Each structure stands twice: as C-alpha cells, then as structure tokens.
Amino acid sequence: MQERVKALAKARNYRPNPFAQSLRKEAPHIIGVIVPDLVTHYFASVLDGIENCARHNGYSVFSTNSHESHELENEALDNFFALHVDGIIACLSQDTIDYSPYERLAENDIPLVFFARTCLPHLFSQVVGNGDVAAYDATKHLLDMGACRVAFIGGPNHLDMVKRRKHGYLQALRDAGIPIDRDLVACDKIDFDVARKSTMTLLQQEKRPDAILAFNDIITYAAFDAIKSLNLKIPDDVAIIGFSDGDSATFVTPKLSVIMDQAQTQGYKACELLIRRIQGDRRVYKEIVPFILKFRESSEKSHIE
C-alpha cells in the first residue's frame, strides 16, 4: 500500500509542505500571482486590482516577481503548487516559450487565469487588452498628423501581446496604402538599453522614421530618451506614442501621448475569473479590456505639412 501511495503521489506531483499543511488546518483562501516585473507601473497596478478583488471576496494574495525569467516563473509555479494555493494568476515572462509547466497545472486541475501575456487559450481563461485596435488607432493618428514613416518598437515576436499590437500597426499602414517597410519594425528584448539602441539605429538610418509607436512604458521612455539625445524635436522631427498608464507621461517635456491599458481593471477582472473557476465554473473565458488613447504634445503637431 505504501508503494502504491508513493507511486500515485509521484504521478500527481504531490509535494508535502509543512507550511501548507498548517495553513490547511485553518482553511485559508490563497491566490498566487506571478508578474514579470513588479517595479513597473503596469504590473503594480494589475496587482493592486487583483488584491482589491481578492480582499472583497475573502482571499489573500501571495505575489512573486519572475524578473522576466522563465526559470523563476517555473520556480514560482512549483512553490504555489506545493503551497496548495486555491488558484494562480500569471503573466508570462518575455522568454517563456515552453508552456508544459502550465499544461501540468491543467492536468492537475489547478485553477489558473492569464493576463496580458498569455498561452494555451483552450485551457485557461485570460484577460487582455484590445492591443490590435489601440495600435491601429494610434498609428492612424500619427498618419493623420502628417507622419509618413511610422516605426514600431516592440518586444519579443513570440509573445501574443506583441503580435496583437504589431498586427494593428501593420493593418493601419495597409489601410492607408503605405507599403510595409521591415526596416521600421524593431522587435527585441523588453529592456531599456536594448530599446534605446534599437531606436538609435532607426533614427540614424538615411531615411529615418518621423514617428514611433512603442510597445510598452519601458520601450516608450527608452525611445523618448534616444530621440532627445540626438537633439531631435518631438513631435516636429519625430512624433511618439507609447503604451503606458503611468502619471509620469505628463511629467516629461513634451507631455507623452499614451495608450492607457486600465491595468487595475485587468487585474480585478482576472481575479474575478479565477474565483469563478475556483467556485466550479469550468468554462474558458476571454475578457477584453479596452485601451484608452490620450493624445498629447508628443504626437500632436501644431501644423500638418
């Protein structure tokens, strides 16, 4: 019997944990949250929304920072599994391309909801923004302001979040009858220095872009810094719009045009979906939270040539 129990425990990935056992005696309600970069305004706001929803429903939140590392992300999943949390809310790190740890969670019937960067949509509910629509509208705005060469600076191409936003950007160009110039698309690691270098390369081309659509706040401020360092004027030489929800967008000169992601709402809705799943709703949902465009000085030229 002991051998049969041990074999079953191994097959089900059972991992005894004294802390979890002590928690179970008092039947707590715990939600585990994995974010890629907690110091950014976006992820901090998402976590705030999750905590608000969890508190209103009698749950506590354990959060962990993957630091954009799939190794730390998998370690966090293992820890939450061992702690027997009621469910998990996660956003993929930018280098995660192996989704088998999440498939194992599904096999073990662990409730999980993704937000922002997602995978396995047939298995898990997700909360995302309408990045394709927002990128389309932002690109169209830049074109309406007189831009002819709009660049897109994004993150890794395998991320569904990047794909959605790049699709909207490209579709806006197609609909305007502008040929796609691959030299104006730079998708690389989500990192300030990498994004700044990519922007410098774009701006030092013989035919430099006259407008930039940036994937997130890190890339937005990297591009903003690169433009300034070359003594180019914003928006007269290079206009810029970025996906960012932070107040700091109004603290720089010129004030940044931004695509606001309603991060707190995304977090709250992700938690709502997870609690539904914990309570027995096994349907798979896709919740779309619309972006809000705020056009300010960095994209609104005083005249259109």
Side-chain angles (χ1 to χ4, degrees), residues 13 15 32-35 62-66 69-85 87-93 96 98-106 108 110-114 119-120 124:
N13 292 319
R15 303 180 186 186
V33 181
I34 304 174
V35 297
F62 288 175
S63 62
T64 186
N65 193 343
S66 72
S69 162
H70 71 276
E71 289 95 348
L72 293 179
E73 182 181 312
N74 291 341
E75 182 180 307
L77 291 173
D78 287 342
N79 289 338
F80 286 149
F81 187 90
L83 287 171
H84 299 284
V85 297
I88 299 170
I89 299 173
C91 177
L92 298 176
S93 65
T96 297
D98 176 12
Y99 307 136
S100 59
Y102 292 102
E103 292 173 328
R104 285 194 291 272
L105 290 179
N108 284 277
I110 306 300
L112 183 142
V113 171
F114 283 111
C119 66
L120 305 174
F124 301 108

Side-chain angles (χ1 to χ4, degrees), residues 41 131 133-135 137-139 141-142 165 212-221 224 234 239-252 254-262 290-300:
H41 184 274
V133 175
D137 291 343
T139 304
H141 167 74
L142 292 169
R165 297 180 183 184
I212 291 174
L213 175 62
F215 169 73
N216 70 354
D217 51 358
I218 293 174
I219 293 175
T220 298
Y221 286 106
F224 189 90
I234 302 173
I240 181 170
I241 298 177
F243 283 81
S244 178
D245 206 9
D247 294 334
S248 54
T250 62
F251 299 159
V252 297
K255 295 180 180 179
L256 269 169
S257 294
V258 293
I259 306 165
M260 301 173 63
D261 40 39
Q262 301 198 76
F291 286 91
I292 299 173
L293 277 69
K294 293 283 187 180
F295 298 135
R296 302 190 181 105
E297 298 168 354
S298 72
S299 68
E300 295 192 321

Side-chain angles (χ1 to χ4, degrees), residues 22-289:
S22 67
L23 288 177
R24 281 295 172 188
K25 292 178 182 179
E26 299 180 3
H29 297 292
I30 305 292
I31 291 172
V33 181
I34 304 174
V35 297
D37 190 355
L38 189 53
V39 300
T40 66
H41 184 274
Y42 170 74
F43 289 116
S45 296
V46 169
L47 183 58
D48 188 59
I50 292 171
E51 290 176 340
N52 286 340
C53 179
R55 184 170 59 253
H56 293 160
N57 289 276
Y59 287 82
S60 297
V61 174
F62 288 175
S63 62
T64 186
N65 193 343
S66 72
H67 298 283
E68 297 283 13
S69 162
H70 71 276
E71 289 95 348
L72 293 179
E73 182 181 312
N74 291 341
E75 182 180 307
L77 291 173
D78 287 342
N79 289 338
F80 286 149
F81 187 90
L83 287 171
H84 299 284
V85 297
D86 291 83
I88 299 170
I89 299 173
C91 177
L92 298 176
S93 65
Q94 63 176 302
D95 66 349
T96 297
I97 55 175
D98 176 12
Y99 307 136
S100 59
Y102 292 102
E103 292 173 328
R104 285 194 291 272
L105 290 179
E107 291 168 1
N108 284 277
D109 202 29
I110 306 300
L112 183 142
V113 171
F114 283 111
F115 72 93
R117 309 176 196 165
T118 70
C119 66
L120 305 174
H122 61 293
L123 294 178
F124 301 108
S125 293
Q126 57 182 266
V127 177
V128 298
N130 60 340
D132 53 344
V133 175
Y136 182 99
D137 291 343
T139 304
K140 185 177 184 302
H141 167 74
L142 292 169
L143 296 173
D144 289 344
M145 289 292 104
C148 299
R149 292 178 56 78
V150 182
F152 176 80
I153 306 178
N157 279 310
H158 67 270
L159 291 176
D160 62 323
M161 192 183 204
V162 175
K163 293 177 182 177
R164 288 193 297 272
R165 297 180 183 184
K166 185 166 65 172
H167 172 76
Y169 154 78
L170 293 173
Q171 191 59 50
L173 296 180
R174 293 188 187 100
D175 288 351
I178 297 176
I180 304 301
D181 185 346
R182 296 297 174 182
D183 290 336
L184 293 178
V185 179
C187 290
D188 206 326
K189 185 178 180 181
I190 302 172
D191 176 85
F192 185 92
D193 292 334
V194 171
R196 189 180 188 279
K197 183 177 179 181
S198 295
T199 307
M200 294 291 285
T201 300
L202 286 168
L203 295 176
Q204 290 169 344
Q205 293 180 13
E206 182 178 352
K207 293 183 179 180
R208 70 166 183 250
D210 53 12
I212 291 174
L213 175 62
F215 169 73
N216 70 354
D217 51 358
I218 293 174
I219 293 175
T220 298
Y221 286 106
F224 189 90
D225 184 67
I227 296 169
K228 289 276 191 176
S229 71
L230 293 174
N231 295 317
L232 296 171
K233 294 181 180 180
I234 302 173
D236 292 336
D237 295 323
V238 185
I240 181 170
I241 298 177
F243 283 81
S244 178
D245 206 9
D247 294 334
S248 54
T250 62
F251 299 159
V252 297
T253 303
K255 295 180 180 179
L256 269 169
S257 294
V258 293
I259 306 165
M260 301 173 63
D261 40 39
Q262 301 198 76
Q264 283 183 314
T265 300
Q266 289 185 25
Y268 200 98
K269 288 184 177 295
C271 189
E272 283 185 325
L273 289 181
L274 182 67
I275 292 172
R276 279 195 205 177
R277 173 65 178 80
I278 291 170
Q279 294 175 343
D281 186 348
R282 305 189 69 83
R283 287 175 291 182
V284 176
Y285 296 90
K286 181 177 182 179
E287 190 83 34
I288 299 177
V289 179

